[in-house]
Amino acid sequence: MSLDQEKYIESLARKYQIEHAKLYEIPMEQNLKLEPAEEINDNVKYRNLIGALLYISSGTRLDISYSVNYLSRLQNCFNETHYKYALRVLKYLYLTKDLKLRFKRNDKIDILECYVDADWAGDCVDRKSTSGYIVKLFGNVIHWKSRKQKSVTKSSTAAEYVALSEAVSEILIIKELLCDFNVKLENPINVFEDNSGAVSIAKFGNFTKRSKYIEVHYHFINENYVNGIIDIVKVSSEKNLADILTKALGRVRFKKLRDLLNLT
């Protein structure tokens, strides 16, 4: 089975007149840092475009989730430059409009698993981090999230831990939904994390003076780990699928992760 929004993307391309414009292979250039505009240009339909892109990113195109999330932070302080980068996302979508989110039957792998990542202090304005997580059911992507964290964290480990806490909260909701469909999870749910410090705190409570302020998150995650509901698994950064939700990646890395997410 596959899902796509090709017709909707084509309608947006006509609306914003980008059908014959230069198209892009990735939605956002690496290390892009946009400053808030001092005044809003009301002639620029930035919010309308961001709303349309958010609809697409939440439906089938998780590959633009980070880009749209980043640009949506500037909806109260935008100008022509911000609009140009939002149009770039649409141009990428138009080039790749035939991509489909595919679902394949496979009952020989883990029922539920999750990949978590965070980009520490990635916002150049307020230095808050970005959380990203991907939930897979029988190897198929069913839920994803890219969002800026609500508070500033003091280390990359803390940022990863906050993202881990958000992901575990979502996993518990999905677990309950599966129970309603008589899908029983006999084994702990694997949560893949690439930060060794966050893994150690989650499993063993290896606090330092700097990590004491994340103790509330620790109790929540550790309780689920001790009770056998989840298992925190260390994964290399190269194999962490959630990396695509926390930062703008280069073309090769971006396309590799996109393929691994069955978006082909």
Side-chain angles (χ1 to χ4, degrees):
M1 185 178 73
S2 63
L3 297 174
D4 70 83
Q5 293 170 282
E6 182 176 353
K7 297 298 183 183
Y8 184 65
I9 293 171
E10 289 177 344
S11 69
L12 286 178
R14 290 191 296 269
K15 179 179 179 180
Y16 290 96
Q17 301 178 349
I18 57 107
E19 294 171 288
H20 304 291
K22 177 184 177 182
L23 305 180
Y24 295 88
E25 294 187 59
I26 54 176
M28 179 181 285
E29 63 187 60
Q30 283 185 282
N31 303 315
L32 177 65
K33 305 295 182 184
L34 292 176
E35 297 288 342
E38 295 182 1
E39 295 183 4
I40 294 178
N41 186 341
D42 292 325
N43 295 322
V44 176
K45 302 301 181 182
Y46 183 75
R47 291 177 179 143
N48 301 67
L49 179 53
I50 291 298
L53 294 175
L54 282 169
Y55 173 68
I56 296 172
S57 70
S58 63
T60 60
R61 297 298 298 269
L62 63 160
D63 52 333
I64 66 166
S65 289
Y66 170 74
S67 304
V68 180
N69 174 269
Y70 178 80
L71 293 170
S72 68
R73 302 171 192 174
L74 301 161
Q75 292 188 76
N76 294 319
C77 45
F78 59 85
N79 55 26
E80 290 84 353
T81 300
H82 303 92
Y83 182 67
K84 180 186 72 173
Y85 282 104
L87 277 179
R88 174 185 170 130
V89 179
L90 180 57
K91 292 173 182 177
Y92 161 76
L93 285 173
Y94 188 59
L95 179 67
T96 59
K97 61 184 178 180
D98 59 339
L99 287 182
K100 295 175 173 58
L101 184 59
R102 302 183 185 276
F103 301 86
K104 301 177 182 179
R105 180 171 181 170
N106 190 345
D107 53 6
K108 296 182 179 180
I109 59 178
D110 291 337
I111 296 177
L112 199 65
E113 62 183 12
C114 180
Y115 290 82
V116 185
D117 195 23
D119 180 36
W120 178 48
D123 194 298
C124 63
V125 178
D126 57 17
R127 308 312 296 178
K128 291 181 180 178
S129 306
T130 299
S131 297
Y133 56 85
I134 293 171
V135 181
K136 301 179 78 175
L137 180 66
F138 292 111
N140 300 294
V141 177
I142 61 166
H143 185 69
W144 57 90
K145 181 70 72 175
S146 176
R147 61 181 293 179
K148 185 166 74 169
Q149 295 180 3
K150 295 181 179 180
S151 59
V152 177
T153 50
K154 296 181 180 179
S155 67
S156 59
T157 295
E160 296 278 357
Y161 209 80
V162 171
L164 196 60
S165 177
E166 294 173 357
V168 171
S169 297
E170 196 66 41
I171 289 171
L172 295 180
I173 296 173
I174 295 174
K175 180 177 180 292
E176 291 301 317
L177 288 173
L178 291 175
C179 289
D180 292 339
F181 289 93
N182 295 318
V183 179
K184 304 298 182 182
L185 300 176
E186 298 178 356
N187 300 318
I189 301 165
N190 286 330
V191 181
F192 296 96
E193 167 63 53
D194 60 11
N195 185 282
S196 299
V199 172
S200 295
I201 294 174
K203 287 186 173 182
F204 313 115
N206 292 344
F207 285 107
T208 65
K209 291 182 179 179
R210 289 187 174 184
S211 63
K212 285 184 178 180
Y213 74 98
I214 62 173
E215 190 172 354
V216 174
H217 290 288
Y218 161 71
H219 284 303
F220 169 67
I221 298 174
N222 181 253
E223 180 181 356
N224 284 283
Y225 171 74
V226 171
N227 291 336
I229 297 174
I230 63 171
D231 185 20
I232 311 297
V233 181
K234 177 70 169 65
V235 66
S236 67
S237 297
E238 284 297 312
K239 295 182 179 180
N240 193 343
L241 303 182
D243 196 31
I244 199 172
L245 299 179
T246 61
K247 62 182 74 68
L249 302 173
R251 182 172 57 86
V252 175
R253 170 82 170 146
F254 178 84
K255 289 185 175 182
K256 179 181 178 181
L257 289 180
R258 188 180 67 188
D259 291 344
L260 290 174
L261 294 169
N262 293 334
L263 193 57
T264 57

